């Protein structure tokens, strides 16, 4: 019986993959499996993974014939996983020795659907601790109650799939899979669904995941059209939350988060290629029109002046202009 399945997508990370795999070797156990998904890498990553399959206990390499993105690669791993519990790691991040056994022990002790953890962000040589924005620790709670309040950072804003561990029953209930093809913000619809539809969760203060920030090949550092997938991701959050029995209660949080992310991208629009910048403006205007207008009005009135002004400018400029289809 496999106790824990660890799903690790890799794409053109030959510089970092050896450190990632070394940290996995420091987290092996006879009942752990490591599903290493090569998302059609074109550098030396496949050779590194081939060696890992021979040398890392419990390693299984799965290859994609074409690049599908992080969400699709994670889904490949989920479909392959045999473990009672599942967790994730990205191919350019790493772990502290013995972290996974501690994480597994925590969820077995608590007996909940999923557990969320803190992490360490690594930017160059700098290290900083980032904590789940939820105060109560090692207490089993209703995930829906951790979505609100709307005007504060909450657990749904901490959208890191690798910062936690998940019981297989979430796979069986159709909750754990990601939206295929999303290139950015793939964790956003996923974390909202996790909190809306799961029955129990807890937060623990383990520090064992090291998140490598600022990698040049990361989509968060590239200003091309793939960045605009955040609109498709948040459209999904709004649509699914609008169907929830408590939509009136939850939608203000979803709309507020969407608007904040949109304003952030508009505030950094100079990093996009000109054609992508134009598309960002037009797609943002169309997205604002799709949102529930009464909720949007309240959210924009409550936002800080600078961010609200960015969104209002986009809305005004779009009047009478052709709406670009998403």
């Amino acid at each position: 019986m496999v106790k824990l399945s660890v799903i690790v997508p890799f794409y053109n990370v030959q510089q970092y993959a050896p450190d990632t795999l070394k940290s996995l070797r420091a987290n092996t156990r006879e009942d752990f499996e490591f599903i290493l998904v090569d998302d059609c890498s074109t550098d030396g990553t496949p050779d590194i993974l081939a060696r890992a399959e021979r040398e890392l206990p419990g390693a299984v390499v799965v290859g994609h014939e074409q690049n599908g993105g992080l969400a699709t690669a994670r889904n490949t791993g989920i479909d392959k996983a045999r473990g009672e519990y599942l967790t994730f790691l990205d191919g350019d991040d790493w772990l502290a020795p013995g972290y996974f056994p501690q994480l597994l022990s925590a969820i077995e002790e608590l007996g909940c659907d999923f557990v969320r953890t803190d992490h360490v962000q690594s930017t160059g040589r700098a290290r900083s601790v980032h904590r789940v924005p939820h105060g109560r620790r090692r207490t089993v709670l209703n995930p829906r109650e951790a979505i609100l309040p709307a005007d504060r950072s909450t657990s749904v804003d901490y959208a890191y799939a690798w910062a936690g561990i998940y019981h297989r029953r979430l796979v069986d209930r159709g909750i754990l899979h990601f939206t295929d093809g999303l290139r950015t913000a793939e964790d956003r619809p996923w974390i909202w669904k996790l909190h809306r539809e799961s029955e129990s969760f807890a937060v623990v203060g383990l520090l064992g995941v090291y998140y490598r920030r600022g990698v040049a090949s990361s989509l968060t550092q590239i200003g091309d059209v793939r960045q605009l997938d955040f609109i498709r991701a948040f459209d999904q959050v709004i649509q699914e939350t609008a169907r929830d029995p408590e939509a009136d209660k939850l939608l203000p949080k979803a709309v507020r988060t969407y608007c904040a992310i949109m304003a952030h991208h508009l505030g950094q629009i100079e990093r996009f290629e000109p054609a992508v910048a134009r598309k960002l403006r037009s797609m943002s205007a169309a997205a604002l029109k799709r949102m529930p207008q009464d909720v949007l009005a309240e959210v924009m009135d409550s936002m800080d002046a600078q961010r609200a002004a960015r969104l209002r400018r986009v809305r005004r400029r779009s009047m009478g202009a052709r709406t670009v289809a998403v």
Side-chain angles (χ1 to χ4, degrees):
M1 176 77 181
V2 176
K3 181 62 74 169
L4 177 66
S5 296
V6 182
I7 297 159
V8 195
F10 293 83
Y11 178 64
N12 288 355
V13 286
Q14 64 178 15
Q15 180 180 354
Y16 306 110
D19 288 340
T20 303
L21 294 164
K22 181 180 178 182
S23 76
L24 291 177
R25 280 195 291 272
N27 277 272
T28 57
R29 216 172 75 174
E30 61 181 14
D31 54 353
F32 289 3
E33 67 175 2
F34 302 96
I35 302 172
L36 314 178
V37 183
D38 176 25
D39 195 20
C40 198
S41 296
T42 57
D43 63 357
T45 300
D47 292 336
I48 295 170
L49 296 183
R51 288 196 300 273
E53 190 169 32
R54 296 191 300 267
E55 298 170 3
L56 175 65
V60 177
V61 175
V62 183
H64 281 175
E65 293 186 359
Q66 61 183 22
N67 179 261
L70 184 58
T72 300
R74 285 175 175 165
N75 286 344
T76 294
I78 292 170
D79 292 340
K80 188 79 172 176
R82 298 174 297 151
E84 182 180 355
Y85 299 91
L86 294 84
T87 190
F88 303 93
L89 185 68
D90 286 353
D92 51 7
D93 298 335
W94 77 97
L95 305 166
Y99 169 68
F100 280 152
Q102 294 179 65
L103 186 60
L104 177 62
S105 178
I107 194 169
E108 288 187 316
E109 176 187 330
L110 291 160
C112 50
D113 284 345
F114 67 98
V115 162
R116 302 289 283 155
T117 69
D118 304 330
H119 74 275
V120 179
Q121 181 173 297
S122 171
T123 307
R125 295 186 177 182
R127 301 286 188 273
S128 56
V129 173
H130 290 249
R131 301 197 181 279
V132 185
H134 191 84
R136 297 178 67 183
R137 302 289 168 114
R138 288 195 172 269
T139 303
V140 177
L141 303 165
N142 182 344
R144 295 176 68 88
E145 295 174 1
I147 296 174
L148 300 175
D151 60 349
R152 295 183 190 175
S153 182
T154 69
S155 190
V156 291
D157 300 309
Y158 189 79
Y160 306 107
W162 36 256
I165 185 170
Y166 314 91
H167 197 284
R168 166 159 293 280
R169 57 180 167 261
L170 297 180
V171 179
D172 298 337
R173 290 170 54 194
I175 297 173
L176 204 63
H177 280 78
F178 295 78
T179 301
D180 264 322
L182 278 180
R183 297 286 180 161
T184 54
E186 67 285 327
D187 290 343
R188 296 293 185 154
W190 175 86
I191 193 74
W192 272 83
K193 186 174 186 178
L194 196 63
H195 277 272
R196 284 193 317 264
E197 299 186 15
S198 300
E199 295 177 358
S200 59
F201 93 117
V203 177
V204 299
L206 287 176
L207 281 176
V209 180
Y210 289 78
Y211 166 48
R212 199 185 300 272
R213 179 78 172 170
V215 176
S217 61
S218 170
L219 280 183
T220 59
Q221 305 297 309
I222 298 172
D224 70 15
V225 71
R226 292 171 293 179
Q227 282 280 358
L228 304 189
D229 268 10
F230 85 88
I231 291 177
R232 187 156 69 98
F234 276 100
D235 276 354
Q236 183 181 341
V237 171
I238 297 295
Q239 291 162 7
E240 293 177 349
T241 304
R243 297 194 294 266
D244 190 274
E246 294 185 297
D248 290 347
K249 180 180 173 182
L250 300 180
L251 271 174
K253 172 66 176 176
V255 171
R256 187 181 185 89
T257 306
Y258 195 171
C259 286
I261 299 294
M262 187 181 294
H264 168 76
H265 284 290
L266 290 167
Q268 297 187 335
I269 201 165
E270 68 282 350
R271 72 190 179 93
F272 290 96
E273 301 160 1
V276 178
R278 290 193 295 272
K279 193 167 187 179
L280 170 60
R281 291 191 187 98
S282 57
M283 290 179 68
S284 295
L288 289 167
K289 290 179 182 178
R290 289 192 297 272
M291 293 182 200
Q293 295 301 296
D294 54 339
V295 177
L296 177 62
E298 292 179 7
V299 165
M300 291 182 69
D301 286 344
S302 66
M303 292 180 77
D304 65 84
Q306 186 178 48
R307 290 190 298 176
R310 285 179 195 147
L311 298 177
R312 290 193 172 103
R313 279 197 299 272
V314 166
R315 291 181 86 192
R316 285 196 300 269
R317 286 175 181 169
S318 73
M319 297 302 180
R322 181 175 65 88
T323 298
V324 176
V326 177

